[in-house]
Amino acid sequence: MRKLFLASLCLMQFTLMKADGKLTGHPIGTPYSVDYSNGQRSTTVNTYAMAFDGKLDTYFASYDRSYTWAGLDLGEPYVITRVGWSPRNDSHGEARVVLGVFEGANSADFMDALPIYIISERGTIGLFSYADVNCSRGFRYVRYVGPSDARCNIAELEFYGHKGVGDDSHLYQLTNLPTVSIHTQNGEIPYDKEHQIVSQLTIISDDGTTLLSEPGTTRERGNASRSFPKKPYRIKFDKKQRVLDAPAKAKKWTLINNYGDKSLMRNLLAFELSKRLGMSYTPFGTPVDVLLNGEYKGCYHLCDQIEINKNRVNITEMTPQDNSGTELTGGYLVEIDAYAGDEDSWFYSQKGLPVTIKSPDSDSITAEQRDYIEERFNMMESNTSRYLDKESFLRHFLVGELSGNTDTYWSVYMYKNRGESLFYTGPVWDFDLAFDNDNRTYPVNSLSDYVYRTKGSCAGSMRSFVDKIVINDATSIGKLVEVWDDARQKGLNEENLVAFVDSMENVLQASQKLNFLRWPILDQYVHQNPMVWGSYRLEVDVVRQYLMKRIGWMDNRLNYVFVPKPNGIEDAGAVSEQPWRIYNVSGQYCGQIMESLSPGIYVVKQGQTVKKVRKN
C-alpha cells in the first residue's frame, strides 16, 4: 500500500508540474541595452522587455558585457517548475546561452536570490529549450542571468509554475557539490583585498536539503592568484557560522580559485597528506561551485581562513591590553612570506627572513607586542634547538617534499602560544604548483635532491634555515625518519594515495565539466603549467603518476626501507639462522649480524617472515 501511495503521489506531482501554466508578469532587467547600429547605450532598442514579447526574431542585448539579466516581477510568489529559453538568432547565439543561470528571489534587489537552473548545453536558434526545475521555494521575482562576456543576448524566456510561497525542503544545487552563491549590494564586484563588499552569503548542500544564508562581506584574497581571470575570494559572515562539516565555527572563509591547477584537487590532496603525516591542525577544505551575482564562476575550494580559533590555530588570541608579563608572550601567528613587504605589519629577521605578523593584526597590534614577537622570532632563528618545535617543522617539511611543492618555503606559517617559548610550524597552505605542476621543477621525481634545495622558491634566507635542521642536525634527521616511518606504517603508500585521487576525480566530474566550459584552458598553458595535457582525465593522471613514484623517491632520499612492523617482541636469541636482514625501529637497515649491534629493539626479516626482537 505504501509503494502504491508513493507512486500515486509522484504521479500527482508530475501531473501538477506539467499542468503548471506559463507565468506572466512585469518585465524587469538590466536597464541599459546596446544599439548594435552604433554601439551606443540605449533604453529603446534590444531591451529586456523583448525577452518576453513572444517573438523569436527580437532579443535583449545589454550594454554591459557581464552580470546582466532579464526577468519578471510576478506580483506574488510562485513555485517555479519549468523554465524555457531560446537564443538570439545570430552566429554566436547558440553558444551564448551556455552557463546562463536562472534565479528566483523575493527581494527586488535579488540579494536573497537562489539558483534554480544552470544551462550546460548549446541552444537552438528558432526553437525553445526547456528544463524542469526542482526547487520548492516560491519566488516573486525570477530572472535569467547571462553568462560572462555575453551581453545576456537572449531571444525569449519563459517561466512556468504555480502560486505559493513553498518551502525550503528541496533547493537547487548546480552539481553534486555544495553551491556557494554570493550576492553583493548594488551588484558591486569585489576588486581588491581591502574593500569588503556587503553581501548575502548562501550555501546550498546535502542534495539541496540544507541551506545556510547569512549576511556578510566579500573581497578578493591571495597574491599571485589574484592576477588570474578566475578570482579568489575571502568571504566573511557577520556572525560566526559552522559551514558544511567544517570543525570551526567562524566568520572568515576562503574560496581558492584553482585556476592553474587543472586537476582541481591539489590543495585538498595536500591537506590529506597533512593529516596522514600527523600535523596538529590541517585546514578544512572541500570543493564547491561558486556563483557571484548570478554569474557562474567555477569550481573552487571552500577552506578555512588561517587564523586563531580553537578549531584552527588553537592558541590564545591577544587583545591590545596584553602588553606585559605572561599576557605579552602570546599568542602570535606569523608567516615567513616572500610578499611580506606588501603587508602593513611585517619585519625582516636578523638573518634575512621576511615575516608578516598575521595576529595580532595590523589594526590592533601594539608597539610592545610587535617588539616582543620580532625579538622572540630572532631568538628562535638563532637557536632552533631551544626555541623551535622540531617535530611540527619536520612534519610540515615532509608534506612539502612529498607533494613536491615549489612554494613550501615561499610562505610558511608559524605560531607561538602564551606562556610557551617554542615556535610551532603550520598549518600547510598553497599547493597549486605541487604534484608536478610547475615548469621550473617538472618532473620533480628527476631532481637529485629535495625540491627546496634544488629549484624550489624560498623567501629570503629560508633555504639556509631549513638546511640547518634537515641537513646539518643529526638529531633532527633521525626524528625525520621516525616521523616518516610512523606514517608509512599507518598506511601512507602509493595505493592509498592513488585511491584518494581516484575518489576525488569521481566527486569532481560534474563540476569540472562546468568549470572548463567557463574556463576553457585545458588546451592552454596557464601560470606555471609544465605541459598542456588536453583533458581533465590526463591532468589527473599527472597527479596519479607522480604519487606512484614519489613515495619510493622519498624512501630513497631518507635512506629508509619500509618493513612492516609485527606486533609481538621476541628475544634476540630467536635470531639463529642466517641470512636475516636487520632494521632499527625507524626502518633503517642495520646489517645482518645481531651481535654487533647496540642493545635495543630491532625488526628482523627473512623472506616473508618478519619479527620484532629485543637485544639486551
Side-chain angles (χ1 to χ4, degrees):
M1 288 295 293
R2 177 174 173 77
K3 290 183 178 179
L4 181 61
F5 171 76
L6 291 174
S8 300
L9 180 61
C10 290
L11 180 61
M12 289 172 60
Q13 291 174 333
F14 178 78
T15 302
L16 177 63
M17 181 177 293
K18 293 305 179 183
D20 285 342
K22 177 181 172 182
L23 303 178
T24 59
H26 178 67
I28 54 178
T30 303
Y32 294 110
S33 57
V34 62
D35 183 343
Y36 280 115
S37 68
N38 55 27
Q40 299 300 306
R41 192 167 67 176
S42 174
T43 57
T44 59
V45 299
N46 305 330
T47 65
Y48 57 77
M50 293 182 178
F52 302 97
D53 64 3
K55 301 175 183 179
L56 294 177
D57 57 351
T58 63
Y59 57 88
F60 168 49
S62 62
Y63 182 75
D64 292 325
R65 304 196 65 87
S66 300
Y67 301 105
T68 56
W69 57 277
L72 292 174
D73 175 357
L74 302 174
E76 57 185 316
Y78 283 77
V79 175
I80 307 302
T81 55
R82 200 180 191 208
V83 291
W85 62 94
S86 185
R88 175 189 168 188
N89 185 1
D90 76 341
S91 59
H92 303 292
E94 293 186 344
R96 280 200 188 105
V97 298
V98 177
L99 299 180
V101 174
F102 291 88
E103 290 188 313
N106 287 298
S107 175
D109 61 5
F110 281 85
M111 284 289 283
D112 66 340
L114 297 179
I116 58 176
Y117 190 72
I118 186 170
I119 301 171
S120 59
E121 304 290 340
R122 293 167 64 96
T124 303
I125 290 172
L127 295 176
F128 266 92
S129 298
Y130 292 96
D132 290 334
V133 171
N134 189 4
C135 180
S136 59
R137 181 186 286 192
F139 303 106
R140 172 177 172 174
Y141 304 96
V142 291
R143 71 178 181 179
Y144 166 81
V145 183
S148 176
D149 198 33
R151 294 188 188 270
C152 202
N153 264 302
I154 196 76
E156 281 294 304
L157 295 167
E158 293 181 348
F159 294 88
Y160 296 79
H162 55 269
K163 190 180 299 185
V165 297
D167 58 36
D168 289 348
S169 59
H170 192 277
L171 305 176
Y172 176 73
Q173 287 180 211
L174 273 60
T175 70
N176 55 297
L177 302 184
T179 294
V180 176
S181 180
I182 302 168
H183 287 88
T184 61
Q185 193 171 67
N186 301 320
E188 186 175 8
I189 305 303
Y191 56 93
D192 64 19
K193 293 167 61 174
E194 288 73 44
H195 294 86
Q196 302 188 67
I197 311 302
V198 174
S199 308
Q200 185 72 15
L201 307 171
T202 299
I203 302 176
I204 303 169
S205 59
D206 298 323
D207 193 28
T209 62
T210 301
L211 173 67
L212 173 65
S213 188
E214 295 289 337
T217 59
T218 307
R219 64 167 174 81
E220 290 186 353
R221 63 164 302 278
N223 292 302
S225 60
R226 286 187 58 236
S227 67
F228 302 146
K230 181 184 180 184
K231 301 298 182 183
Y233 301 106
R234 200 286 306 274
I235 58 176
K236 181 182 178 182
F237 293 96
D238 288 348
K239 297 180 180 179
K240 290 183 178 181
Q241 304 294 330
R242 194 172 302 282
V243 172
L244 303 174
D245 57 351
K249 187 175 184 180
K251 292 182 179 180
K252 299 176 183 178
W253 303 82
T254 65
L255 287 166
I256 297 175
N257 49 341
N258 301 317
Y259 185 71
D261 170 21
K262 298 173 191 174
S263 76
L264 305 175
M265 68 173 67
R266 281 181 166 87
N267 281 290
L268 299 184
L269 176 56
F271 292 170
E272 180 69 12
L273 297 185
S274 172
K275 295 172 186 176
R276 296 187 185 211
L277 282 161
M279 293 292 291
S280 61
Y281 159 56
T282 296
F284 165 81
T286 192
V288 296
D289 299 308
V290 173
L291 297 166
L292 176 61
N293 292 331
E295 184 178 292
Y296 174 70
K297 306 304 290 185
C299 178
Y300 284 67
H301 292 166
L302 175 62
C303 297
D304 282 347
Q305 170 83 7
I306 305 305
E307 63 177 0
I308 296 175
N309 180 294
K310 68 178 182 179
N311 286 306
R312 289 179 174 172
V313 179
N314 188 14
I315 59 176
T316 302
E317 188 164 14
M318 299 186 72
T319 71
Q321 288 72 47
D322 296 331
N323 291 310
S324 62
T326 302
E327 287 76 14
L328 182 59
T329 65
Y332 296 92
L333 174 64
V334 301
E335 180 185 9
I336 300 168
D337 178 15
Y339 296 106
D342 297 332
E343 302 296 330
D344 294 331
S345 183
W346 71 285
F347 61 88
Y348 264 121
S349 72
Q350 291 177 346
K351 295 184 181 297
L353 291 178
V355 182
T356 300
I357 304 172
K358 307 297 286 188
S359 184
D361 64 28
S362 59
D363 293 332
S364 62
I365 192 169
T366 66
E368 291 85 355
Q369 292 166 358
R370 179 186 168 84
D371 290 344
Y372 176 87
I373 189 59
E374 184 171 352
E375 175 192 9
R376 289 291 164 160
F377 188 91
N378 285 326
M379 290 171 60
M380 179 277 294
E381 183 183 41
S382 297
N383 190 349
T384 56
S385 295
R386 182 173 181 181
Y387 296 113
L388 177 67
D389 177 72
K390 296 288 185 62
E391 185 164 333
S392 64
F393 184 90
L394 295 172
R395 293 181 190 278
H396 181 277
F397 168 83
L398 286 172
V399 176
E401 289 297 332
L402 179 55
S403 65
N405 190 18
T406 307
D407 283 348
T408 297
Y409 296 110
W410 192 249
S411 167
V412 184
Y413 284 100
M414 289 186 173
Y415 55 91
K416 179 189 178 299
N417 205 0
R418 179 168 296 181
E420 296 186 21
S421 60
L422 294 177
F423 279 77
Y424 294 82
T425 308
V428 301
W429 192 253
D430 191 8
F431 290 83
D432 286 357
L433 298 178
F435 307 100
D436 260 351
N437 195 34
D438 190 334
N439 57 35
R440 297 166 296 180
T441 57
Y442 176 87
V444 171
N445 290 320
S446 70
L447 299 179
S448 59
D449 205 343
Y450 294 127
V451 175
Y452 90 91
R453 300 198 83 212
T454 50
K455 298 182 178 181
S457 302
C458 294
S461 59
M462 196 63 192
R463 185 172 286 109
S464 297
F465 183 90
V466 182
D467 270 353
K468 181 168 61 174
I469 299 166
V470 302
I471 301 299
N472 301 322
D473 183 342
T475 302
S476 293
I477 295 170
K479 183 62 178 177
L480 186 66
V481 176
E482 287 184 22
V483 172
W484 180 251
D485 175 65
D486 181 64
R488 296 282 275 116
Q489 296 295 335
K490 292 177 179 177
L492 182 69
N493 58 46
E494 298 89 341
E495 181 180 2
N496 288 340
L497 293 182
V498 169
F500 181 84
V501 172
D502 292 345
S503 68
M504 287 301 303
E505 181 183 23
N506 183 60
V507 167
L508 289 165
Q509 273 304 316
S511 185
Q512 67 87 10
K513 291 177 182 177
L514 290 180
N515 183 82
F516 293 114
L517 284 174
R518 177 65 181 86
W519 308 104
I521 57 173
L522 286 171
D523 59 352
Q524 300 175 21
Y525 284 97
V526 297
H527 197 25
Q528 301 290 346
N529 291 165
M531 299 284 286
V532 172
W533 301 104
S535 73
Y536 182 68
R537 174 70 179 181
L538 291 177
E539 289 288 345
V540 177
D541 275 343
V542 172
V543 179
R544 264 190 289 262
Q545 294 301 319
Y546 169 84
L547 288 172
M548 289 173 67
K549 297 177 181 178
R550 191 60 177 176
I551 294 285
W553 191 100
M554 291 291 292
D555 284 348
N556 290 335
R557 180 61 183 81
L558 292 166
N559 193 28
Y560 169 85
V561 177
F562 176 68
V563 179
K565 294 180 181 178
N567 294 324
I569 301 178
E570 300 183 17
D571 184 79
V575 184
S576 57
E577 298 181 8
Q578 300 294 336
W580 289 96
R581 294 179 63 82
I582 305 171
Y583 302 85
N584 64 19
V585 291
S586 296
Q588 292 176 302
Y589 181 59
C590 299
Q592 295 181 317
I593 303 174
M594 181 66 71
E595 288 77 10
S596 65
L597 301 178
S598 302
I601 297 174
Y602 295 88
V603 175
V604 295
K605 184 177 182 182
Q606 184 182 47
Q608 299 300 312
T609 302
V610 179
K611 297 180 181 181
K612 188 182 291 185
V613 301
R614 179 185 290 107
K615 183 187 177 188
N616 297 317

